[in-house]
Amino acid sequence: MGGKAFSHGPEPLSTPRMLPALYRCLLDRFHVQLATFFEQVASPVEAPEKATFGDIDLLVATPRNSPFTVAAIAKALNAKRTLSFPPVYSLAVPHPEIEGNFVQLDIQVCEANRFEWEVFHKNHGDLWNVIGTGIRPFGLTANDMGLYLRIPEIEHENRKRAMVFLSAEPDTVLSFLGLDSTSFSRPFDTVEAMFEFACSCRFFRPQTYEKDGLKSNDRKRMIQREIFKRFVGEFLPKRNLGVQHIEDASGLTREVVFEEALGHFDKRQEVETRIREWRQERDDFNRKQAARQWRKEQAMKDDAYTEAWIQSSKSKA
């Protein structure tokens, strides 16, 4: 939330940005405190080159005492105020160095079986916005649930129904995307190093990020997300590696990746079943629509016949 959750309303609280030393000190402290409430506690790998931090993000799962209460956590951390946006809860904790100021702690409560992926997906800040845009033309989508394959035949009519879950295993997903898991697991020294990593994805093609290749959500990111804006507007033009990567990706098409993913993740039977059911439902719907249209046309003919008969009767009278 950028550290601004408590800056609005009738009684706003001041939550000044933190220098790295204070940020890491508080991150460690909150981690220890939350570990008394949850078995799983983690913070995403930080984005590079951040001079200050607006808030502290921690992900948690598996409450030690179920159900947990935000009030109990707030009391343990001496929070002045809490805001609930489930599954995220924001706490205003007294600033240790500036009296009358506060630190915003955002706690995201995850399901235990999704905890590892959600931490992974939040690593390096907006990196997944960059990678996600690059893999989209190949029918792949990465969100907070995992990596998905989109079925072309269904996608245009029902995007949600077209999504086929592939994996939420971080190393498995990185391997399929051609990305190095060791590099991903640790902080990047610079934003440029992070961008180089994104370009190492085997699905990377510069033209995807050109104006004609960007979707409406991408254009919004160009305005709202500084990292995405720097990647598209500054880094790629400067890199000028278009020819090399176009050649690297020339053998990859959406159809090729679709078939590869079905085999790699053992999803062929599931996808074939879904396509078959979709076609059957579509055919049933079309038949019902045709029958409804036929009945409508017959009713119109009957009405026309009745009206003609009435007019004929009147003229004879």
Side-chain angles (χ1 to χ4, degrees):
M1 296 182 184
K4 300 295 184 181
F6 299 98
S7 63
H8 308 287
E11 297 182 7
L13 299 177
S14 175
T15 52
R17 296 187 67 84
M18 296 164 279
L19 293 173
L22 176 60
Y23 166 81
R24 294 190 175 92
C25 177
L26 291 176
L27 178 64
D28 292 342
R29 190 183 95 188
F30 292 149
H31 190 291
V32 171
Q33 290 175 307
L34 289 177
T36 65
F37 292 92
F38 298 91
E39 294 181 16
Q40 296 169 282
V41 182
S43 59
V45 177
E46 301 156 13
E49 296 183 16
K50 293 194 73 170
T52 60
F53 296 82
D55 57 19
I56 295 175
D57 295 311
L58 281 166
L59 287 79
V60 300
T62 317
R64 296 188 183 277
N65 295 302
S66 187
F68 78 94
T69 65
V70 178
I73 297 174
K75 182 178 180 180
L77 274 62
N78 193 30
K80 178 179 177 64
R81 191 176 299 168
T82 63
L83 293 173
S84 296
F85 308 96
V88 178
Y89 303 88
S90 296
L91 281 65
V93 181
H95 198 290
E97 297 178 351
I98 308 174
E99 186 176 354
N101 285 257
F102 298 85
V103 171
Q104 179 179 320
L105 169 63
D106 291 336
I107 304 170
Q108 179 174 334
V109 182
C110 310
E111 296 178 14
N113 61 345
R114 289 175 48 193
F115 179 76
E116 183 182 12
W117 174 266
E118 293 209 48
V119 174
F120 166 78
H121 192 249
K122 289 182 179 295
N123 282 345
H124 311 293
D126 286 336
L127 176 58
W128 274 109
N129 283 335
V130 175
I131 296 173
T133 297
I135 66 177
R136 185 178 58 219
F138 295 95
L140 299 170
T141 295
N143 58 28
D144 60 353
M145 301 286 288
L147 181 68
Y148 287 79
L149 178 70
R150 306 190 308 276
I151 302 174
E153 182 176 337
I154 302 175
E155 181 179 7
H156 296 299
E157 295 184 43
N158 190 326
R159 184 177 175 85
K160 184 176 180 180
R161 187 80 177 274
M163 301 271 279
V164 178
F165 176 77
L166 297 179
S167 177
E169 294 289 336
D171 287 348
T172 300
V173 170
L174 289 174
S175 176
F176 185 73
L177 300 182
L179 294 168
D180 180 63
S181 59
T182 301
S183 298
F184 189 89
S185 66
R186 56 194 180 210
F188 293 104
D189 293 332
T190 64
V191 170
E192 185 163 314
M194 184 173 74
F195 289 164
E196 294 279 6
F197 177 84
C199 293
S200 70
C201 176
R202 69 188 181 103
F203 300 113
F204 169 73
R205 292 195 297 189
Q207 59 266 40
T208 300
Y209 301 89
E210 294 174 356
K211 184 176 180 180
D212 293 341
L214 296 177
K215 304 294 184 182
S216 60
N217 284 343
D218 299 323
R219 288 189 284 273
K220 289 179 182 178
R221 292 190 188 104
M222 287 287 288
I223 299 173
Q224 301 171 356
R225 312 303 299 186
E226 182 63 26
I227 288 295
F228 191 81
K229 180 180 179 180
R230 284 180 61 181
F231 181 77
V232 175
E234 300 175 18
F235 177 78
L236 287 183
K238 183 176 68 174
R239 278 275 280 162
N240 194 26
L241 282 182
V243 174
Q244 174 186 337
H245 284 283
I246 289 173
E247 292 175 352
D248 289 346
S250 62
L252 289 175
T253 63
R254 180 166 182 177
E255 293 73 23
V256 169
V257 174
F258 186 82
E259 289 298 318
E260 182 183 346
L262 295 186
H264 187 87
F265 294 99
D266 193 22
K267 293 290 180 175
R268 187 173 301 279
Q269 183 175 350
E270 177 183 341
V271 168
E272 289 177 350
T273 299
R274 189 176 301 188
I275 292 175
R276 185 167 59 251
E277 291 174 347
W278 169 259
R279 289 174 178 173
Q280 183 62 53
E281 291 174 11
R282 184 185 57 192
D283 291 344
D284 290 345
F285 176 79
N286 289 339
R287 279 194 293 269
K288 290 178 181 178
Q289 286 289 88
R292 192 175 293 115
Q293 182 64 26
W294 181 86
R295 290 194 295 270
K296 181 178 179 180
E297 292 173 356
Q298 286 299 116
M300 293 175 64
K301 289 179 181 179
D302 291 344
D303 289 344
Y305 176 81
T306 301
E307 180 65 24
W309 183 84
I310 293 173
Q311 294 299 326
S312 176
S313 298
K314 288 180 178 179
S315 62
K316 288 179 181 178

